[in-house]
Amino acid sequence: MPAERVLTDEMVAAIKAYFPRYPTRQAVTLPALHIVNERLRYVPLKAVEEIAELLDLAPAEVQDTLSFYGLFKQTSRNGKTRAWVCRSISGALSWWEEF
């Protein structure tokens, strides 16, 4: 019995829609992660494997991109709304005290 897919047909179609817009399949990795994250509110390991297969990449290549960015969770769903606070020096100098 084959394992259940994580990526729906709609997610696969949305990812494939990026193929003509990027020079390589590897360049579609980040948009693909965003698509999965938007639909599932996290990116499980099985989704990483399926994205890698779809983009003809090694799962480690997709995982590298995912782990580089702090906005993707892998073990549990994110809430429906997330707030990000800029902690850079430019943010601190321009608006942080007002916040």
Side-chain angles (χ1 to χ4, degrees), residues 61-79:
E61 293 176 279
V62 177
Q63 184 67 33
D64 283 348
T65 302
L66 181 143
S67 64
F68 181 79
Y69 297 95
L71 57 120
F72 300 114
K73 290 185 82 174
Q74 267 196 294
T75 56
S76 62
R77 295 178 188 269
N78 286 315

Side-chain angles (χ1 to χ4, degrees), residues 1-8 46-47 49-50:
M1 183 172 174
E4 184 100 8
R5 283 183 27 195
V6 173
L7 300 184
T8 64
K46 180 70 174 144
E49 294 168 357
E50 292 178 25

Side-chain angles (χ1 to χ4, degrees), residues 27-46:
V28 181
T29 304
L30 190 57
L33 290 169
H34 278 290
I35 288 167
V36 173
N37 195 56
E38 287 170 6
R39 276 35 166 223
L40 302 178
R41 297 193 328 260
Y42 77 123
V43 184
L45 183 57
K46 180 70 174 144

